[in-house]
Amino acid sequence: MTSSTTSTAHAVSPDSGEHWSKEGAWRVTEGIHRIPLPLPMDGLKAVNVYAIETDEGLTLVDGGWSIEVARDLLERCLRDIGYGFGDIRRFLVTHIHRDHYTLATVLGHEYDADVALGIGEKPGLDLLNAATDGGAEIEGNPFLDVLRTAGAHEIAEAWAQGPHELPDPAWWQYPDTWLSGDQQIAVGARTLDAVHTPGHTPGHYVYAEQAAGLLFAGDHVLPTITPSIGFTVPPVADPLGDFMASLTKVRSLPDLTVLPAHGPVAPSSHARVDELLAHHEERLELSLAALAAGPRTGHQVAHELPWTRHDHPYDELDDFAQGMASMETKAHLELLVARGQATCEDTAGGVVFSAVTG
C-alpha cells in the first residue's frame, strides 16, 4: 500500500523525461548520474545506482543485483559517461538487500574498490555466510520462523516448497568498511552525511549532500511506494518503531531532493517523509481497530486490512505478498505494544496481540 498519488509503474523521472526505469546514465546534476539497472522477477523493474564523479574516479551509491544483464548495462552506461569498472574507487551501499549489495561486493573485490556497509547488517551477512561455511549450514528458509511467529503457518509451508539454493559466496563477501553511527564522508570535493536509518533493514544508511540539496535515499524514502518492514533476518524487536524514528531523523535535515533506489527523482524529502509517517499512523489505527474483536496474530490482522495502492483484500495477494503482509502487520502490532496500546503473548500458533482496554 502506498500514500503516493503517482504509481511506480507510470512514474516519469525529471532527470530523464522518461519512465524512471528507462536504461541510461541520466544526469541528475553536474557530476552525478542515475543509472537504473534491471531486477529479475521483481515488480519494481529496476534499482537506481548513482555514479558520483571525482578527480580520483567514481563513487557509486549502491551497486545493483549481481546478474549478467545488470552488470553489462552498468558497464555500458559508465562507458557512455567516459568511465569503466576500473575507475570505481568506492561503493557506498545503503543496505544489505541483493539488489543493492551483491554487484557492489562482486565488482569491489574484482577491481579493488572499497565497499562500505552499515555495521547493523553484519548479523544478516553472518547468517548468509554461515550457509556455505563448512558444516554450519542454515536449514531451509530463515524467514519461515518469522512467518510462523506471525501466525502465517500455511504461508510458511508454501514458502518452504519453493526453490532452495545456497547463497553464492561471491555475492555475500564482507565489506571493506563498516559504517557505524552518523558520520561525514568526503567524496572528492563533496561532503556526504552518512546517516544511519534503521527500519527497512537494521544497518540501512542514507547519504545526504546538504550543500547540493540531495538525499541518496536508498529504500528509506521512496517516492511512490512504502518500503517493506519486518522482512529481515535475524528479526529485530521493533522494526517499524525504528523506521518511523529514522524518518523523523531524516525530516530534521533540510528539505532535500530525493534520489531514491526505486522510482523517480522526487522534489521534497520533507513532503514524502510526512506522507510515509501519516501512512503508517493510519495502518496503526487500522491494526488497533482489528484487535477490538479479540486477540489476533499478525496474520489474522493482515486479513482485515487493505493492501497495495488499490486496497486489495489480503486473499487476492499471492503467497509471497501474503507472507510480506503478515510480517509487516506483525511489525505494526509490535509498535502498538511499544506504545502501550496492545499486549502480546507467545503461543504455539504465533505471537498473539490484544488491545489494551480502559
Side-chain angles (χ1 to χ4, degrees):
M1 184 173 179
T2 177
S3 54
S4 174
T5 57
T6 302
S7 72
T8 308
H10 299 99
V12 171
S13 192
D15 53 348
S16 64
E18 304 278 358
H19 187 271
W20 72 272
S21 65
K22 186 176 177 61
E23 294 181 3
W26 305 108
R27 181 182 179 277
V28 173
T29 190
E30 183 66 31
I32 299 177
H33 290 82
R34 180 179 63 86
I35 303 174
L37 298 180
L39 301 179
M41 300 176 294
D42 195 304
L44 291 175
K45 303 300 182 187
V47 59
N48 292 319
V49 171
Y50 294 91
I52 305 173
E53 300 177 66
T54 77
D55 290 341
E56 294 78 33
L58 296 175
T59 289
L60 268 57
V61 178
D62 284 332
W65 192 324
S66 186
I67 53 175
E68 185 176 357
V69 64
R71 179 178 176 133
D72 290 347
L73 180 58
L74 179 59
E75 187 171 32
R76 292 199 306 273
C77 289
L78 292 181
R79 188 184 308 127
D80 288 343
I81 58 174
Y83 294 95
F85 288 155
D87 296 306
I88 301 172
R89 299 290 176 262
R90 175 193 287 161
F91 287 93
L92 297 175
V93 182
T94 58
H95 63 294
I96 194 179
H97 287 164
R98 59 188 175 180
D99 53 328
H100 300 256
Y101 185 68
T102 57
L103 188 53
T105 193
V106 168
L107 291 177
H109 282 83
E110 284 185 27
Y111 290 92
D112 196 28
D114 185 89
V115 177
L117 183 70
I119 189 66
E121 309 292 37
K122 188 176 185 298
L125 267 183
D126 288 343
L127 192 65
L128 287 159
N129 278 277
T132 54
D133 183 16
E137 290 191 1
I138 298 170
E139 295 185 3
N141 186 331
F143 285 102
L144 301 186
D145 284 342
V146 183
L147 286 168
R148 294 182 185 113
T149 63
H153 295 272
E154 291 184 4
I155 302 301
E157 290 304 312
W159 281 30
Q161 301 308 311
H164 299 296
E165 296 182 5
L166 287 177
D168 183 339
W171 286 19
W172 303 110
Q173 300 170 86
Y174 287 94
D176 303 284
T177 300
W178 289 112
L179 300 176
S180 180
D182 297 346
Q183 57 186 276
Q184 290 190 327
I185 298 175
V187 179
R190 304 175 185 273
T191 299
L192 302 188
D193 292 307
V195 182
H196 184 211
T197 51
H200 179 58
T201 67
H204 194 290
Y205 269 79
V206 302
Y207 302 96
E209 188 189 359
Q210 296 192 42
L214 301 174
L215 179 70
F216 298 91
D219 281 2
H220 183 60
V221 181
L222 297 173
T224 60
I225 58 175
T226 57
S228 62
I229 303 297
F231 185 58
T232 298
V233 289
V236 296
D238 185 13
L240 181 61
D242 292 342
F243 179 62
M244 295 180 74
S246 295
L247 286 174
T248 301
K249 185 178 183 180
V250 168
R251 184 61 169 79
S252 71
L253 298 172
D255 197 12
L256 305 170
T257 297
V258 178
L259 306 183
H262 309 285
V265 173
S268 172
S269 58
H270 285 181
R272 186 54 181 158
V273 164
D274 290 346
E275 289 177 348
L276 290 167
L277 288 169
H279 164 77
H280 283 289
E281 289 295 347
E282 178 185 354
R283 301 294 286 183
L284 287 161
E285 291 177 8
L286 292 172
S287 299
L288 184 60
L291 295 181
R296 298 282 192 276
T297 64
H299 180 59
Q300 290 169 326
V301 171
H303 275 83
E304 302 181 36
L305 304 180
W307 295 96
T308 80
R309 65 183 300 104
H310 302 295
D311 288 347
H312 288 302
Y314 179 90
D315 287 337
E316 292 184 4
L317 305 178
D318 62 30
D319 287 343
F320 180 74
Q322 286 183 348
M324 297 281 283
S326 295
M327 288 186 283
E328 180 152 320
T329 303
K330 180 173 178 282
H332 281 78
L333 296 169
E334 287 167 340
L335 182 53
L336 290 175
V337 172
R339 289 181 173 184
Q341 295 175 278
T343 61
C344 64
E345 179 184 3
D346 289 332
T347 75
V351 181
V352 175
F353 296 86
S354 303
V356 172
T357 59

PDB file of all heavy atoms in Angstrom, residues 324-345:
ATOM      1  N   MET A 324       4.745 -11.328   3.176  1.00  0.00           N
ATOM      2  CA  MET A 324       5.257  -9.987   3.474  1.00  0.00           C
ATOM      3  C   MET A 324       4.235  -9.189   4.280  1.00  0.00           C
ATOM      4  O   MET A 324       4.582  -8.481   5.229  1.00  0.00           O
ATOM      5  CB  MET A 324       5.581  -9.268   2.166  1.00  0.00           C
ATOM      6  CG  MET A 324       6.668  -9.907   1.324  1.00  0.00           C
ATOM      7  SD  MET A 324       8.315  -9.538   1.932  1.00  0.00           S
ATOM      8  CE  MET A 324       8.493  -7.851   1.315  1.00  0.00           C
ATOM      9  N   ALA A 325       2.955  -9.295   3.893  1.00  0.00           N
ATOM     10  CA  ALA A 325       1.897  -8.560   4.585  1.00  0.00           C
ATOM     11  C   ALA A 325       1.764  -9.021   6.036  1.00  0.00           C
ATOM     12  O   ALA A 325       1.574  -8.199   6.947  1.00  0.00           O
ATOM     13  CB  ALA A 325       0.578  -8.742   3.840  1.00  0.00           C
ATOM     14  N   SER A 326       1.872 -10.323   6.260  1.00  0.00           N
ATOM     15  CA  SER A 326       1.759 -10.842   7.629  1.00  0.00           C
ATOM     16  C   SER A 326       2.908 -10.341   8.501  1.00  0.00           C
ATOM     17  O   SER A 326       2.702  -9.942   9.661  1.00  0.00           O
ATOM     18  CB  SER A 326       1.745 -12.366   7.603  1.00  0.00           C
ATOM     19  OG  SER A 326       0.590 -12.851   6.947  1.00  0.00           O
ATOM     20  N   MET A 327       4.134 -10.361   7.959  1.00  0.00           N
ATOM     21  CA  MET A 327       5.288  -9.892   8.722  1.00  0.00           C
ATOM     22  C   MET A 327       5.202  -8.393   8.984  1.00  0.00           C
ATOM     23  O   MET A 327       5.537  -7.917  10.078  1.00  0.00           O
ATOM     24  CB  MET A 327       6.583 -10.254   7.995  1.00  0.00           C
ATOM     25  CG  MET A 327       6.897 -11.739   8.039  1.00  0.00           C
ATOM     26  SD  MET A 327       8.510 -12.187   7.332  1.00  0.00           S
ATOM     27  CE  MET A 327       8.148 -12.087   5.580  1.00  0.00           C
ATOM     28  N   GLU A 328       4.747  -7.627   7.996  1.00  0.00           N
ATOM     29  CA  GLU A 328       4.644  -6.180   8.188  1.00  0.00           C
ATOM     30  C   GLU A 328       3.555  -5.844   9.201  1.00  0.00           C
ATOM     31  O   GLU A 328       3.711  -4.934  10.021  1.00  0.00           O
ATOM     32  CB  GLU A 328       4.382  -5.470   6.860  1.00  0.00           C
ATOM     33  CG  GLU A 328       4.279  -3.969   7.020  1.00  0.00           C
ATOM     34  CD  GLU A 328       4.678  -3.197   5.786  1.00  0.00           C
ATOM     35  OE1 GLU A 328       5.658  -3.570   5.123  1.00  0.00           O
ATOM     36  OE2 GLU A 328       4.007  -2.191   5.492  1.00  0.00           O
ATOM     37  N   THR A 329       2.441  -6.561   9.144  1.00  0.00           N
ATOM     38  CA  THR A 329       1.377  -6.311  10.124  1.00  0.00           C
ATOM     39  C   THR A 329       1.859  -6.626  11.528  1.00  0.00           C
ATOM     40  O   THR A 329       1.559  -5.901  12.485  1.00  0.00           O
ATOM     41  CB  THR A 329       0.140  -7.144   9.774  1.00  0.00           C
ATOM     42  OG1 THR A 329      -0.291  -6.828   8.450  1.00  0.00           O
ATOM     43  CG2 THR A 329      -0.997  -6.853  10.749  1.00  0.00           C
ATOM     44  N   LYS A 330       2.618  -7.713  11.677  1.00  0.00           N
ATOM     45  CA  LYS A 330       3.194  -8.022  12.989  1.00  0.00           C
ATOM     46  C   LYS A 330       4.064  -6.868  13.474  1.00  0.00           C
ATOM     47  O   LYS A 330       4.058  -6.521  14.669  1.00  0.00           O
ATOM     48  CB  LYS A 330       4.013  -9.309  12.914  1.00  0.00           C
ATOM     49  CG  LYS A 330       4.658  -9.733  14.230  1.00  0.00           C
ATOM     50  CD  LYS A 330       5.301 -11.103  14.088  1.00  0.00           C
ATOM     51  CE  LYS A 330       5.994 -11.548  15.380  1.00  0.00           C
ATOM     52  NZ  LYS A 330       7.298 -10.886  15.554  1.00  0.00           N
ATOM     53  N   ALA A 331       4.809  -6.227  12.566  1.00  0.00           N
ATOM     54  CA  ALA A 331       5.631  -5.080  12.949  1.00  0.00           C
ATOM     55  C   ALA A 331       4.769  -3.920  13.440  1.00  0.00           C
ATOM     56  O   ALA A 331       5.144  -3.212  14.392  1.00  0.00           O
ATOM     57  CB  ALA A 331       6.504  -4.636  11.771  1.00  0.00           C
ATOM     58  N   HIS A 332       3.610  -3.706  12.824  1.00  0.00           N
ATOM     59  CA  HIS A 332       2.708  -2.657  13.294  1.00  0.00           C
ATOM     60  C   HIS A 332       2.179  -2.994  14.691  1.00  0.00           C
ATOM     61  O   HIS A 332       2.100  -2.121  15.574  1.00  0.00           O
ATOM     62  CB  HIS A 332       1.557  -2.459  12.312  1.00  0.00           C
ATOM     63  CG  HIS A 332       1.936  -1.656  11.110  1.00  0.00           C
ATOM     64  ND1 HIS A 332       2.645  -2.188  10.061  1.00  0.00           N
ATOM     65  CD2 HIS A 332       1.731  -0.350  10.797  1.00  0.00           C
ATOM     66  CE1 HIS A 332       2.856  -1.240   9.154  1.00  0.00           C
ATOM     67  NE2 HIS A 332       2.310  -0.118   9.571  1.00  0.00           N
ATOM     68  N   LEU A 333       1.827  -4.238  14.895  1.00  0.00           N
ATOM     69  CA  LEU A 333       1.318  -4.644  16.205  1.00  0.00           C
ATOM     70  C   LEU A 333       2.394  -4.534  17.277  1.00  0.00           C
ATOM     71  O   LEU A 333       2.110  -4.156  18.424  1.00  0.00           O
ATOM     72  CB  LEU A 333       0.781  -6.068  16.117  1.00  0.00           C
ATOM     73  CG  LEU A 333      -0.436  -6.240  15.180  1.00  0.00           C
ATOM     74  CD1 LEU A 333      -0.724  -7.716  14.949  1.00  0.00           C
ATOM     75  CD2 LEU A 333      -1.663  -5.525  15.747  1.00  0.00           C
ATOM     76  N   GLU A 334       3.634  -4.831  16.924  1.00  0.00           N
ATOM     77  CA  GLU A 334       4.731  -4.694  17.888  1.00  0.00           C
ATOM     78  C   GLU A 334       4.917  -3.241  18.305  1.00  0.00           C
ATOM     79  O   GLU A 334       5.237  -2.955  19.474  1.00  0.00           O
ATOM     80  CB  GLU A 334       6.021  -5.251  17.275  1.00  0.00           C
ATOM     81  CG  GLU A 334       6.036  -6.765  17.180  1.00  0.00           C
ATOM     82  CD  GLU A 334       7.151  -7.319  16.309  1.00  0.00           C
ATOM     83  OE1 GLU A 334       7.689  -6.552  15.461  1.00  0.00           O
ATOM     84  OE2 GLU A 334       7.470  -8.503  16.449  1.00  0.00           O
ATOM     85  N   LEU A 335       4.728  -2.314  17.371  1.00  0.00           N
ATOM     86  CA  LEU A 335       4.832  -0.902  17.744  1.00  0.00           C
ATOM     87  C   LEU A 335       3.669  -0.496  18.647  1.00  0.00           C
ATOM     88  O   LEU A 335       3.849   0.309  19.574  1.00  0.00           O
ATOM     89  CB  LEU A 335       4.877  -0.017  16.495  1.00  0.00           C
ATOM     90  CG  LEU A 335       5.022   1.486  16.758  1.00  0.00           C
ATOM     91  CD1 LEU A 335       6.207   1.795  17.671  1.00  0.00           C
ATOM     92  CD2 LEU A 335       5.182   2.249  15.434  1.00  0.00           C
ATOM     93  N   LEU A 336       2.486  -1.061  18.415  1.00  0.00           N
ATOM     94  CA  LEU A 336       1.373  -0.782  19.328  1.00  0.00           C
ATOM     95  C   LEU A 336       1.700  -1.261  20.737  1.00  0.00           C
ATOM     96  O   LEU A 336       1.349  -0.604  21.729  1.00  0.00           O
ATOM     97  CB  LEU A 336       0.101  -1.452  18.816  1.00  0.00           C
ATOM     98  CG  LEU A 336      -0.512  -0.868  17.542  1.00  0.00           C
ATOM     99  CD1 LEU A 336      -1.698  -1.721  17.082  1.00  0.00           C
ATOM    100  CD2 LEU A 336      -0.952   0.582  17.751  1.00  0.00           C
ATOM    101  N   VAL A 337       2.384  -2.399  20.847  1.00  0.00           N
ATOM    102  CA  VAL A 337       2.818  -2.875  22.166  1.00  0.00           C
ATOM    103  C   VAL A 337       3.816  -1.890  22.776  1.00  0.00           C
ATOM    104  O   VAL A 337       3.714  -1.531  23.959  1.00  0.00           O
ATOM    105  CB  VAL A 337       3.445  -4.281  22.049  1.00  0.00           C
ATOM    106  CG1 VAL A 337       4.081  -4.693  23.384  1.00  0.00           C
ATOM    107  CG2 VAL A 337       2.400  -5.304  21.624  1.00  0.00           C
ATOM    108  N   ALA A 338       4.774  -1.426  21.984  1.00  0.00           N
ATOM    109  CA  ALA A 338       5.777  -0.481  22.488  1.00  0.00           C
ATOM    110  C   ALA A 338       5.127   0.821  22.940  1.00  0.00           C
ATOM    111  O   ALA A 338       5.615   1.475  23.876  1.00  0.00           O
ATOM    112  CB  ALA A 338       6.820  -0.204  21.405  1.00  0.00           C
ATOM    113  N   ARG A 339       4.009   1.189  22.301  1.00  0.00           N
ATOM    114  CA  ARG A 339       3.294   2.418  22.675  1.00  0.00           C
ATOM    115  C   ARG A 339       2.331   2.209  23.839  1.00  0.00           C
ATOM    116  O   ARG A 339       1.669   3.148  24.271  1.00  0.00           O
ATOM    117  CB  ARG A 339       2.531   2.955  21.462  1.00  0.00           C
ATOM    118  CG  ARG A 339       3.418   3.534  20.374  1.00  0.00           C
ATOM    119  CD  ARG A 339       2.568   4.057  19.220  1.00  0.00           C
ATOM    120  NE  ARG A 339       3.386   4.767  18.228  1.00  0.00           N
ATOM    121  CZ  ARG A 339       2.881   5.400  17.162  1.00  0.00           C
ATOM    122  NH1 ARG A 339       1.567   5.398  16.950  1.00  0.00           N
ATOM    123  NH2 ARG A 339       3.682   6.020  16.328  1.00  0.00           N
ATOM    124  N   GLY A 340       2.211   0.980  24.330  1.00  0.00           N
ATOM    125  CA  GLY A 340       1.310   0.699  25.437  1.00  0.00           C
ATOM    126  C   GLY A 340      -0.137   0.542  25.025  1.00  0.00           C
ATOM    127  O   GLY A 340      -1.029   0.519  25.890  1.00  0.00           O
ATOM    128  N   GLN A 341      -0.402   0.385  23.726  1.00  0.00           N
ATOM    129  CA  GLN A 341      -1.772   0.250  23.248  1.00  0.00           C
ATOM    130  C   GLN A 341      -2.184  -1.202  23.040  1.00  0.00           C
ATOM    131  O   GLN A 341      -3.351  -1.487  22.762  1.00  0.00           O
ATOM    132  CB  GLN A 341      -1.938   1.018  21.924  1.00  0.00           C
ATOM    133  CG  GLN A 341      -1.762   2.515  22.063  1.00  0.00           C
ATOM    134  CD  GLN A 341      -1.802   3.222  20.716  1.00  0.00           C
ATOM    135  OE1 GLN A 341      -0.799   3.267  19.997  1.00  0.00           O
ATOM    136  NE2 GLN A 341      -2.961   3.754  20.380  1.00  0.00           N
ATOM    137  N   ALA A 342      -1.244  -2.124  23.167  1.00  0.00           N
ATOM    138  CA  ALA A 342      -1.535  -3.539  22.994  1.00  0.00           C
ATOM    139  C   ALA A 342      -0.569  -4.338  23.853  1.00  0.00           C
ATOM    140  O   ALA A 342       0.455  -3.827  24.326  1.00  0.00           O
ATOM    141  CB  ALA A 342      -1.424  -3.945  21.531  1.00  0.00           C
ATOM    142  N   THR A 343      -0.921  -5.599  24.066  1.00  0.00           N
ATOM    143  CA  THR A 343      -0.031  -6.542  24.733  1.00  0.00           C
ATOM    144  C   THR A 343       0.185  -7.729  23.804  1.00  0.00           C
ATOM    145  O   THR A 343      -0.531  -7.902  22.809  1.00  0.00           O
ATOM    146  CB  THR A 343      -0.653  -7.040  26.055  1.00  0.00           C
ATOM    147  OG1 THR A 343      -1.893  -7.709  25.766  1.00  0.00           O
ATOM    148  CG2 THR A 343      -0.889  -5.878  27.003  1.00  0.00           C
ATOM    149  N   CYS A 344       1.187  -8.544  24.107  1.00  0.00           N
ATOM    150  CA  CYS A 344       1.450  -9.701  23.260  1.00  0.00           C
ATOM    151  C   CYS A 344       1.792 -10.908  24.118  1.00  0.00           C
ATOM    152  O   CYS A 344       2.256 -10.771  25.255  1.00  0.00           O
ATOM    153  CB  CYS A 344       2.561  -9.414  22.255  1.00  0.00           C
ATOM    154  SG  CYS A 344       4.179  -9.102  22.982  1.00  0.00           S
ATOM    155  N   GLU A 345       1.548 -12.095  23.539  1.00  0.00           N
ATOM    156  CA  GLU A 345       1.832 -13.350  24.221  1.00  0.00           C
ATOM    157  C   GLU A 345       2.313 -14.361  23.197  1.00  0.00           C
ATOM    158  O   GLU A 345       1.690 -14.533  22.136  1.00  0.00           O
ATOM    159  CB  GLU A 345       0.568 -13.876  24.911  1.00  0.00           C
ATOM    160  CG  GLU A 345       0.768 -15.200  25.626  1.00  0.00           C
ATOM    161  CD  GLU A 345      -0.521 -15.740  26.216  1.00  0.00           C
ATOM    162  OE1 GLU A 345      -1.584 -15.111  26.010  1.00  0.00           O
ATOM    163  OE2 GLU A 345      -0.460 -16.794  26.872  1.00  0.00           O
TER     164      GLU A 345
END
